[in-house]
Amino acid sequence: MSKIEDFLTAEEERQVVDAIRTAEKNTSGEIRVHLEKTSKIDVYERALEVFHMLKMDTTKLQNGVLIYVAVEDKTFVIFGDEGINNVVEDDFWESTKNIMQGHFKRGHFKQGLVDGILKAGKQLETHFPWEMDDQNEISDDISIG
């Protein structure tokens, strides 16, 4: 993978955004995907920076989830805010990462993202169900850095 633009086609990007909308349909939680060419610092630290930059830390119930991918580095992080981290099983993010990684290793990047998004969405729906006054607090679009 030499370029971010090669990571997902336009149609695959649309399918990832559709997966985010599906995952968020029955929850107040927020999911965002961020793609970058490379991370110049520790990937976890960069994911944390991006989490704040995208204002994922401003959700009312602290239930934002960021999937950060450094394309050329072939690495990614799933970062959940405090609210969601406090209610999921201890191995939840690791098991989600393993599912995504299995797809990524086979070059199925879109499917890895979709499966990770939908799995996170199920947990958000369980612990943070949608309520009448819920608003989409964070854009569903893929951000690119």
Side-chain angles (χ1 to χ4, degrees), residues 30-41:
E30 299 289 339
I31 302 171
R32 191 86 191 260
V33 173
H34 181 83
L35 305 177
E36 285 188 334
K37 181 178 177 178
T38 186
S39 177
K40 304 230 185 292
I41 60 173

Side-chain angles (χ1 to χ4, degrees), residues 20-115:
I20 292 170
R21 290 183 178 138
T22 297
E24 291 182 357
K25 189 176 196 175
N26 297 311
T27 179
S28 63
E30 299 289 339
I31 302 171
R32 191 86 191 260
V33 173
H34 181 83
L35 305 177
E36 285 188 334
K37 181 178 177 178
T38 186
S39 177
K40 304 230 185 292
I41 60 173
D42 174 76
V43 69
Y44 182 84
E45 292 301 317
R46 180 61 184 148
L48 181 58
E49 283 181 359
V50 170
F51 190 83
H52 293 298
M53 178 187 77
L54 296 175
K55 302 195 181 317
M56 299 290 298
D57 57 343
T58 64
T59 59
K60 186 168 83 173
L61 298 175
Q62 296 180 306
N63 56 1
V65 176
L66 172 68
I67 299 175
Y68 169 86
V69 181
V71 175
E72 284 190 3
D73 299 342
K74 297 182 180 176
T75 190
F76 69 101
V77 171
I78 308 168
F79 191 91
D81 206 349
E82 188 175 338
I84 184 69
N85 283 343
N86 287 341
V87 295
V88 295
E89 297 291 325
D90 291 341
D91 67 341
F92 176 73
W93 298 120
E94 191 64 30
S95 68
T96 304
K97 185 177 180 180
N98 290 342
I99 288 169
M100 293 174 64
Q101 198 166 40
H103 287 296
F104 286 2
K105 284 181 178 179
R106 293 188 305 278
H108 303 152
F109 304 113
K110 185 261 319 176
Q111 195 58 52
L113 290 170
V114 167
D115 285 359

